[in-house]
Amino acid sequence: MIAKTKFRYLLTVIASIALFSSCINDIDLKDVDDTISMNGAAVFPLAQSTITLKDFIDKLNIDNMTVNSNNVLTVNYKPSTSYSFNLNISPSDVSINTTTPTTLSSKAGTTISAATFNSLSPSQVAEIDLRSLASTNITRLDSIYISNATLSFTLNTNINFAVNQLQLTVTPTPTCFPSLSPTTFTNVRNGSVCTISLTNCWIKPQSSKISLSIATQATSGNIYVPASPSLNSSAALKNINFKYAFGQFAYNLASQTGTFDLGFLNDVISPTSYLPFKNPAFKLTCYSNARIPMQLNIDYIKSYNSSSPSNVRFASFSGSTSTSQAFTKMPSAPGKSAVDSLIFNKTNGNIDNLFTLPGINTIAYSFGAQSQTGGISNQFIMSKDTFTISPSVNIPFAFNAGVNVQMTDTLSLGNSFTDFLNKNDLQNVKLWLIANNFTSTKIAIGLTLLDANKQPFSTTQNLTLNTTLNIDNTTGQATQTSATTDQQLSLAYSATDLKKAQYIKLSYSLAGKDLTTPLTLTSTDFIKVKLCAYVKGSAKLNDN
């Protein structure tokens, strides 16, 4: 029977690969799946395995391993934590006071008629700058859609008006308040507060300011004007809740820091080794409902081993560890959202250089953001808005030319074969490897016999499997598949060694098509091997 195996894997990287010649033999053993005898000899099928590179990667317990459209194995690492920057504007109340008409002073200490009072107290314009709603964030306010708010007017005077003698009329400027009509309040006296409720309406400032005309009029009777008359009112926009606002806005979002734990690399490289990935990428994806041109400020992107965090390697932007780059996608209208990404890779930041640090298992970063002045005229924000940035790392398992990746696979030879060798007088024993290399790379195989404790005791036999695929010289990927070819190789182990062997360890070295071609690992790559033993001598094939 075929001995099924449980695999144990290791991935390391070394600087170069040595290729060894193989022996091709005429005996066709690829279809042997049971013990057969011929001409006084016996052929034992000992063990077989088929390992795909996807299976191998899965054994490393790497989270978020995917396969891209070209079947290239890729790690997509995205932490659960995103960074949300608060773009909220909590509008404060804004107000302005009118002044006492100077004409009233000409009648100080006298009693005048209502008509004379009205002629000496003309209407006044109250102009409120709405940038003061949020002075640090609003540089220009063109319009704001109000869910609810209150326009409030308070009369301040030392003139003693009779009951129902004075009224106050508020006339909003039509361009600022398209949906409001003039409102008159009666029986106004010192300290009276008059209010207008605003609900689901537009306010459209002119040069960021709104204006209203406030007029006080006496309705009848005579009025005594004191020696130092005062008559003014305060106008305020209060308790503001809005849906969205158009204008120009300023934000400076504080830097945030974080790390990617690439601990899986500890399982595949030693502290003195590294994986020179061909084009890994660090991506920052932004989500926003606000139409504000934002610039991302990268303070640094760096790699290190967590056991020695002071030994770092930085991303480089034209020789600098920092850079500022703009997000360009923004929502087109309130209620819509936009997603945009900035990708830092080999050409933008030399991110591949981060992975050439021996023992790398951590990527750290620091970034902030700020709004850009100018650029677009129809900027807007939503109430309770946020600007969210989510970092991620994308690592295709494609490597620079000259890289060597190693895997190991331990197969059990089974007790029945060892017992057979030890109980019979054998003239000749040979071990054969029947292999098929369906990967994008030449493979050097090292085979070592192990005893019952899985300790090596034999000389390692080295063989080479040529790829059966057509490989692109630039990408290192298979561009066209061809018919697979089994290679049949004889292993030079003595009968004495084979009698002691319980396991055989296969070490695969994948090094690309050649030392000048990149190495790209795809999910469809596989290596298939079968071990058979050819024995000749005096033997009992079925020893009970």
Side-chain angles (χ1 to χ4, degrees), residues 137 249-253 292-295 369-373 379:
N137 300 125
F249 307 92
Y251 289 93
N252 193 353
L253 310 178
I292 301 175
M294 298 295 289
Q295 173 180 286
Q370 67 183 72
S371 56
Q372 296 177 283
T373 58
Q379 298 179 24

Side-chain angles (χ1 to χ4, degrees), residues 417 421 426-431 493-495 498 533-536:
F417 174 64
L421 295 181
L426 303 175
Q427 301 170 356
N428 190 8
V429 180
K430 284 188 178 180
L431 197 63
Y493 289 117
S494 67
L498 292 176
Y534 173 87
V535 299
K536 188 174 183 179

Side-chain angles (χ1 to χ4, degrees), residues 33 244 494 520:
D33 59 6
Y244 32 80
S494 67
T520 298

Side-chain angles (χ1 to χ4, degrees), residues 151 169-174 177-184 196 212:
L151 278 171
T169 299
V170 176
T171 304
T173 302
F177 298 91
S179 60
L180 288 187
S181 300
T183 301
T184 298
I196 300 174
L212 310 101

Side-chain angles (χ1 to χ4, degrees), residues 173-246:
T173 302
T175 53
C176 298
F177 298 91
S179 60
L180 288 187
S181 300
T183 301
T184 298
F185 302 92
T186 59
N187 193 26
V188 178
R189 308 182 75 178
N190 179 49
S192 294
V193 178
C194 308
T195 61
I196 300 174
S197 296
L198 304 179
T199 304
N200 297 328
C201 64
W202 283 101
I203 295 179
K204 297 185 176 182
Q206 305 299 301
S207 300
S208 300
K209 298 177 181 179
I210 57 172
S211 58
L212 310 101
S213 175
I214 303 173
T216 51
Q217 285 189 313
T219 56
S220 62
N222 295 322
I223 301 157
Y224 177 75
V225 180
S228 298
S230 66
L231 178 67
N232 61 73
S233 58
S234 61
L237 183 61
K238 305 171 64 175
N239 306 320
I240 304 163
N241 291 297
F242 74 99
K243 290 184 178 178
Y244 32 80
F246 286 83

Side-chain angles (χ1 to χ4, degrees), residues 83-85 251-257 297 299 366-370:
Y83 300 88
S84 292
F85 298 93
Y251 289 93
N252 193 353
L253 310 178
S255 290
Q256 305 290 315
T257 61
N297 299 322
D299 303 314
S366 174
F367 64 83
Q370 67 183 72

